[in-house]
Amino acid sequence: MLSRAEQVIFLRDRLFELPLARYRPLGDPTRHLQAIITLVSRCKDEDISPDDYRRCAAALQAAAAVAAPDDEADARDRAEAQVELAGTYATYRELMAREGNIDFGDQIVLALRLLRERPHVLTYYQRRYRYILVDEFQDTNYAQFELVKLLAARHRNVACVLDDDQAVYRFRGAAISNVVAFLEHYRDTRQVVLTDNFRSDQRILDAAYRLIVNNNPDRLEVRSGISKQLVAVREHDGHDPQHLHFETATREADEVARTIQERVETGDWRYDDVAILVRSNGDADQFLRSFNMRGVPWTFSGNAGLYGRPEVRLLLAFLRAVAHPDDSVSVHYLASSELYQVPIVDLTRCATHADRKHRWLFDVLRTLDAIPELTGEVSAEGHVAIRQLVGDLVRYMELGREMPTGELLYQFLADSGWLTRITKAATARDEAEVQNISKFFRRILAASKALKYDNVREFVKHLDALIDAGEDPAVAEADVETPAVRVLTVHKAKGLEFPIVFVVNLVQGKFPVQRRRDALELPVELSKDLLPTGDFHMQEERRLFYVAMTRAERELYLTSARDYGGARERKVSQFVLEALNLPKDAARPFKARAVEEIECFAPPAEPTGETSPPLAPDEELLLSHKQVDDYQTCPLKYRYVHILRVPIRRHHTVVYGSTIHAVVEFYLKRRVEGNYTSLEDLLAEYDRKWENQGFLTWQHQEARQAAGRQALTRFWHHEEADGLKPTHVEKEFGFAIGPNRVRGRFDRVDEDLLGAVIVDYKTSEVKRQKDADRRVADNLQLKVYALAWREMTGRLPQRVELRFIETSVVGRHEPTASDVDTAITAVQEAAAGIRARRFDAKPSRNACGFCAYNQICPFTATRE
């Protein structure tokens, strides 16, 4: 599925196939194509086909032909524009289909098309799903509701859970009119109003209700004659929501940081009790600086920003310097980093010389000894650091000829010592750094599948194109147990709750933000989303403010400042005045002293050694058999893999095994659906899924790929001869052992009158039957599977099997009550250690020998 940025690149590469005349861009087409993609997305959200758009454009042309003379020119111009856009939409759909691509909207549009054009498919799913529940219904779009109506048409047993006061995703295509449309379509609907609130203090609920009830018309409460006023079930030791108004933005951020720090030091709060909610990503920066200055630990979760994080910027600088040594900005960034520490005076001399002579900075550094005016000026320390930098870059350029991008970057992390350092992450900020690096590695892995040649030059070119097209993924999500203040956007906070909430930067123009119209508006004649009366943008911003307020459990603080830069004094947000019932002139700023303004430029405090506290005994802990197994093997490995998510170089056995598993899943799922898969189709799927990662040489890669083809050929012949149709493939399960919830998937389940056979596929080369039977009897994963099946059905499976695809050997075992007890004990022991945050190393020759972290772990067992 193509992302929004990938859609822009897709169109940019096929620009001259689009029927654009008036909208053909001059120079860089990116912004024009972004507008077209937004328009296409709106069409799909509202179930508008290219034919619908063409008919609308034709009608506009006909209307223009008979328009009054004063309006004729404007009408004709508008009609011609819509004809061109209708043709572009149709061509976009054709190009995507030709290349075998889909975008986000296609997931619904194509499903709708399938159900409308294939009655037997619609009938099958209508019979299969007798009851339908749609959660967060206020966030659905028109096309999604059409899908719900089709699926529910036979039984009409459909329930929607919604709160129209929390409809805040119109920018993503959500249609609040679906709420009213549901009641009109299902006129016999029974409404159940839930007013018991288990989260917030009553004073917070009353203020939020005052905000929304007095200012937003057309609410469900008014239309249906019901009361949605929430009633707090729990009593909190809180107070009325407070508005704090300051002189400047820096004073606002510093006072918030000071308040949090002081309340934590007095024992009233904990850092992870507190959330800072911002309307936009950029609004968080000043607060993060103030937290750094005071040593307050924080995590940030927004809708973008990964490529702007310092750790990711450094990785990008390295890749760009290797791919394009003429990129002097990236070379300078890398040289001045903590990894190379070229003295800044020496680096500035070299950079200035490069600018004056119109040379690359890399060339100047590489030929430093041959430049008389620099040789004597650069310090001895600088010479050493520069030689190290140049030598490394030249070596990585050589490695980059054949080494995939992910492996090259991993090598850089390992060689530089950065990888070793991040495994020792102790603070919330350290852990966030590791997780952002891990997320960037996942981005590299995703790109490697799309690139014809996986090398650093092609990756940098691809990534720069994506960034230019608007891609900037969100930073990694912080673990909820991290002892740090949560800083996040209001949209990210939806569905979450915090004891203490600060909603900040509450002035007109920041919250509410000004409305930004789409560059290309969908014709009103086509739109199926019925907007409410009044200013619908301001109403949505007010609903978003309502969401922000109701994240708070005990205490809510609304903060603002008079001065955010610029010539004009900023007015306090109208939403603050509405919620707290304040007069317009109620806000009086706290004056900042001059020294406080100066102190805002102080360097950050040294990071504290805050570590994650133990989990509460009754707090839910999610586990998989893999997590349990990793913890049993080595608790420190568990921390590396599942908490820090330290990037690892994918071993060729893992790449091989995951590819084989994906192809087997492809075959079995088609078989469950009654579709025949030929051997040629199976092997073609294998070739599509194959990844060249981690193999020792090209010859090694080719040999393993050939071995996989042979193994899958044997698998196909065995399955076709057996003729048994699986009951379930990749079936999800979940069960609880006290507060610990275990989840996972069965590869395959076969059911008959005697019971179930649970099958797991392996690519290990097990050749002897007794070895296979021993491995299946000792396998913790299959014991957990047997326990899961018992929890789901009330009985143990009749058999569990390990099927070794390489050798066609099958290990079998009949589960017993003892196996189940072993699984329960393993889950409980692992959960107890994880809850207590016990991650001590358990080094052993066997475990460390196969551990992906054995080169960087300080506890790795050696022969000595």
Side-chain angles (χ1 to χ4, degrees):
M1 184 180 72
L2 299 186
S3 67
R4 180 65 64 93
E6 289 168 335
Q7 290 171 254
V8 172
I9 294 174
F10 177 83
L11 282 186
R12 191 170 64 189
D13 292 343
R14 297 158 182 82
L15 185 62
F16 291 95
E17 295 186 58
L18 300 176
L20 294 173
R22 69 174 54 237
Y23 286 116
R24 181 170 302 285
L26 299 175
D28 182 15
T30 299
R31 293 187 64 183
H32 299 264
L33 296 180
Q34 287 172 335
I36 289 173
I37 293 300
T38 299
L39 182 67
V40 166
S41 298
R42 284 287 308 276
C43 289
K44 293 180 179 181
D45 290 339
E46 299 199 28
D47 189 26
I48 297 168
S49 69
D51 288 341
D52 294 334
Y53 208 140
R54 283 195 178 108
R55 283 192 290 269
C56 176
L60 291 174
Q61 279 186 313
V66 296
D70 291 344
D71 300 329
E72 182 181 358
D74 288 342
R76 186 169 58 252
D77 185 67
R78 178 172 180 251
E80 290 173 356
Q82 296 306 325
V83 167
E84 184 172 305
L85 292 174
T88 301
Y89 177 28
T91 304
Y92 169 80
R93 293 280 294 269
E94 292 166 3
L95 292 172
M96 290 283 283
R98 186 181 74 190
E99 300 291 335
N101 293 324
I102 65 169
D103 58 32
F104 185 82
D106 285 331
Q107 295 178 101
I108 300 299
V109 169
L110 295 178
L112 269 175
R113 180 178 171 185
L114 174 67
L115 297 181
R116 286 167 174 167
E117 296 180 0
R118 300 287 189 272
H120 66 285
V121 176
L122 176 60
T123 300
Y124 169 79
Y125 283 106
Q126 286 177 338
R127 287 174 174 169
R128 181 175 178 182
Y129 298 111
R130 186 179 181 87
Y131 301 96
I132 297 174
L133 171 66
V134 185
D135 196 14
E136 301 288 359
F137 183 73
Q138 77 278 354
D139 295 329
T140 58
N141 60 37
Y142 182 91
Q144 289 168 334
F145 186 32
E146 289 297 299
L147 191 64
V148 170
K149 288 190 285 188
L150 281 174
L151 293 173
R154 177 178 291 268
H155 301 292
R156 294 177 63 83
N157 291 323
V158 57
C160 292
V161 183
L162 64 94
D163 182 0
D164 61 322
D165 293 331
Q166 297 192 51
V168 294
Y169 287 110
R170 188 175 186 277
F171 71 95
R172 291 201 316 212
I176 191 173
S177 58
N178 279 356
V179 175
V180 176
F182 184 91
L183 295 175
E184 293 177 351
H185 186 77
Y186 300 103
R187 295 189 176 274
D188 54 345
T189 294
R190 182 166 67 95
Q191 296 186 49
V192 179
V193 185
L194 306 177
T195 56
D196 288 346
N197 183 282
F198 292 84
R199 174 187 298 156
S200 302
D201 182 87
Q202 187 63 54
R203 288 162 290 195
I204 295 173
L205 297 177
D206 290 344
Y209 186 70
R210 184 186 306 117
L211 165 81
I212 208 79
V213 73
N214 293 331
N215 299 285
N216 273 18
D218 295 339
R219 297 171 56 250
L220 189 60
E221 188 172 29
V222 177
R223 286 176 172 271
S224 299
I226 57 177
S227 174
K228 290 175 54 187
Q229 186 164 11
L230 299 177
V231 178
V233 174
R234 300 172 183 169
E235 292 186 5
H236 294 279
D237 184 20
H239 50 69
D240 290 331
Q242 295 188 18
H243 175 222
L244 306 176
H245 190 54
F246 301 94
E247 180 72 14
T248 65
T250 52
R251 177 78 192 276
E252 177 189 6
D254 195 53
E255 283 298 307
V256 169
R258 182 190 62 78
T259 300
I260 296 171
Q261 186 181 50
E262 290 181 356
R263 296 293 293 271
V264 170
E265 289 174 351
T266 58
D268 297 330
W269 298 350
R270 299 183 312 177
Y271 282 126
D272 54 356
D273 285 341
V274 184
I276 308 295
L277 303 189
V278 295
R279 174 62 181 86
S280 305
N281 286 285
D283 294 338
D285 293 344
Q286 183 63 57
F287 293 87
L288 302 185
R289 283 194 289 269
S290 293
F291 289 155
N292 288 343
M293 197 168 61
R294 290 185 172 271
V296 175
W298 55 266
T299 63
F300 175 66
S301 179
N303 302 314
L306 180 67
Y307 297 148
R309 298 301 305 154
E311 57 274 13
V312 176
R313 287 173 60 193
L314 183 53
L315 296 179
L316 284 171
F318 165 74
L319 293 174
R320 286 172 175 148
V322 171
H324 302 292
D326 61 330
D327 183 350
S328 295
V329 173
S330 293
V331 173
H332 189 285
Y333 193 87
L334 187 63
S336 62
S337 70
E338 291 183 1
L339 298 180
Y340 289 99
Q341 298 183 5
V342 177
I344 193 61
V345 173
D346 296 336
L347 184 58
T348 303
R349 289 183 190 277
C350 295
T352 302
H353 179 85
D355 289 342
R356 288 176 178 172
K357 299 296 184 180
H358 303 290
R359 296 179 63 187
W360 304 350
L361 175 60
F362 175 75
D363 270 353
V364 170
L365 298 177
R366 189 165 56 117
T367 59
L368 183 62
D369 292 337
I371 304 175
E373 58 265 42
L374 289 179
T375 304
E377 298 293 334
V378 174
S379 67
E381 179 187 0
H383 275 286
V384 172
I386 289 170
R387 276 196 294 270
Q388 178 69 45
L389 171 67
V390 171
D392 284 355
L393 286 177
V394 171
R395 181 165 61 89
Y396 290 125
M397 289 175 195
E398 290 291 338
L399 290 174
R401 290 185 179 187
E402 293 190 1
M403 187 177 283
T405 307
E407 292 187 32
L408 183 73
L409 191 60
Y410 183 89
Q411 189 74 46
F412 169 68
L413 286 178
D415 293 346
S416 64
W418 194 357
L419 191 61
T420 301
R421 181 175 64 80
I422 63 179
T423 61
K424 301 174 183 177
T427 67
R429 290 173 63 189
D430 292 340
E431 293 189 6
E433 175 185 325
V434 183
Q435 290 165 10
N436 285 327
I437 293 173
S438 179
K439 186 166 185 177
F440 184 65
F441 266 86
R442 293 196 297 274
R443 189 69 196 85
I444 293 174
L445 178 61
S448 69
K449 299 176 182 178
L451 296 174
K452 185 175 182 179
Y453 302 106
D454 182 11
N455 59 51
V456 64
R457 191 176 184 87
E458 288 297 310
F459 173 77
V460 168
K461 178 181 177 183
H462 175 74
L463 186 64
D464 285 343
L466 288 175
I467 293 173
D468 182 54
E471 179 178 271
D472 187 11
V475 296
E477 295 293 331
D479 289 336
V480 294
E481 301 90 1
T482 303
V485 175
R486 301 292 191 276
V487 184
L488 63 170
T489 62
V490 182
H491 282 103
K492 276 282 187 178
K494 192 170 184 290
L496 304 179
E497 56 190 40
F498 309 93
I500 298 98
V501 169
F502 288 81
V503 190
V504 299
N505 287 359
L506 298 181
V507 293
Q508 294 294 108
K510 280 185 170 288
F511 201 167
V513 297
Q514 294 181 350
R515 184 190 176 195
R516 290 181 297 178
R517 295 182 177 275
D518 291 335
L520 298 175
E521 293 278 359
L522 187 70
V524 292
E525 295 86 351
L526 268 178
S527 181
K528 300 172 183 177
D529 182 15
L530 302 178
L531 297 176
T533 57
D535 188 338
F536 63 86
H537 168 74
M538 193 60 67
Q539 291 170 27
E540 175 136 336
E541 287 290 295
R542 187 175 286 110
R543 291 192 293 268
L544 187 62
F545 198 90
Y546 175 87
V547 168
M549 294 180 69
T550 52
R551 299 312 93 196
E553 297 175 5
R554 297 198 316 258
E555 299 180 44
L556 173 65
Y557 298 88
L558 309 176
T559 72
S560 58
R562 182 189 63 81
D563 181 9
Y564 286 91
R568 292 186 177 183
E569 179 177 325
R570 304 300 286 268
K571 295 181 179 179
V572 174
S573 169
Q574 66 187 79
F575 299 154
V576 174
L577 308 181
E578 292 169 359
L580 304 186
N581 199 24
L582 298 174
K584 291 185 178 181
D585 60 350
R588 290 287 184 269
F590 298 102
K591 289 284 185 180
R593 293 178 297 145
V595 68
E596 291 173 335
E597 295 296 318
I598 297 172
E599 286 174 350
C600 290
F601 296 94
E606 290 296 317
T608 61
E610 294 281 351
T611 57
S612 300
L615 289 183
D618 58 345
E619 187 173 342
E620 184 179 67
L621 176 65
L622 297 176
L623 291 170
S624 67
H625 75 83
K626 178 72 167 58
Q627 290 172 290
V628 174
D629 184 67
D630 282 344
Y631 191 86
Q632 281 190 329
T633 302
C634 176
L636 185 57
K637 176 184 178 181
Y638 174 92
R639 184 169 186 262
Y640 285 167
V641 177
H642 302 288
I643 296 179
L644 296 181
R645 305 185 189 114
V646 177
I648 60 173
R649 177 184 294 166
R650 294 185 78 199
H651 196 270
H652 58 81
T653 57
V654 175
V655 176
Y656 177 81
S658 63
T659 304
I660 296 291
H661 189 280
V663 177
V664 168
E665 178 186 340
F666 165 79
Y667 174 87
L668 294 177
K669 282 187 172 180
R670 286 180 56 82
R671 188 154 195 165
V672 167
E673 295 166 355
N675 296 322
Y676 173 74
T677 304
S678 67
L679 179 59
E680 291 74 17
D681 289 341
L682 183 72
L683 295 179
E685 180 68 11
Y686 174 62
D687 291 338
R688 281 192 293 270
K689 289 282 196 299
W690 184 260
E691 298 178 50
N692 178 22
Q693 287 192 47
F695 295 97
L696 306 179
T697 61
W698 283 103
Q699 292 79 6
H700 180 226
Q701 184 263 146
E702 291 172 355
R704 294 305 291 150
Q705 189 172 10
R709 293 176 69 88
Q710 294 171 5
L712 287 171
T713 300
R714 290 192 295 271
F715 165 80
W716 182 87
H717 284 297
H718 178 271
E719 288 293 325
E720 292 299 315
D722 180 53
L724 181 63
K725 181 179 177 180
T727 309
H728 305 290
V729 176
E730 293 295 319
K731 180 177 177 61
E732 295 184 355
F733 66 77
F735 62 91
I737 302 177
N740 309 310
R741 182 160 184 81
V742 183
R743 58 187 178 181
R745 293 185 180 189
F746 305 114
D747 278 5
R748 172 176 179 165
V749 180
D750 298 334
E751 289 189 86
D752 57 25
L753 295 176
L754 298 178
V757 177
I758 297 176
V759 178
D760 197 65
Y761 290 94
K762 300 293 184 185
T763 52
S764 312
E765 291 193 28
V766 175
K767 299 179 180 179
R768 298 191 301 177
Q769 186 63 51
K770 66 177 184 180
D771 292 337
D773 291 339
R774 176 181 54 78
R775 288 187 62 167
V776 74
D778 296 339
N779 190 281
L780 175 62
Q781 177 182 355
L782 292 180
K783 290 179 171 63
V784 172
Y785 284 0
L787 171 60
W789 192 260
R790 191 191 71 173
E791 294 299 308
M792 293 168 59
T793 66
R795 58 184 295 192
L796 288 171
Q798 61 165 313
R799 192 168 67 252
V800 292
E801 294 183 354
L802 284 180
R803 297 188 181 179
F804 297 93
I805 296 176
E806 285 278 330
T807 59
S808 300
V809 175
V810 180
R812 299 177 176 86
H813 176 70
E814 294 183 7
T816 64
S818 176
D819 294 332
V820 170
D821 292 340
T822 299
I824 293 174
T825 300
V827 171
Q828 290 175 331
E829 289 178 352
I834 294 167
R835 287 180 179 280
R837 294 293 188 244
R838 292 195 300 266
F839 300 120
D840 300 322
K842 287 172 55 178
S844 69
R845 285 284 306 282
N846 187 50
C848 294
F850 292 98
C851 180
Y853 302 99
N854 57 17
Q855 297 300 310
I856 58 173
C857 177
F859 302 99
T860 296
T862 63
R863 183 180 300 276
E864 291 76 15

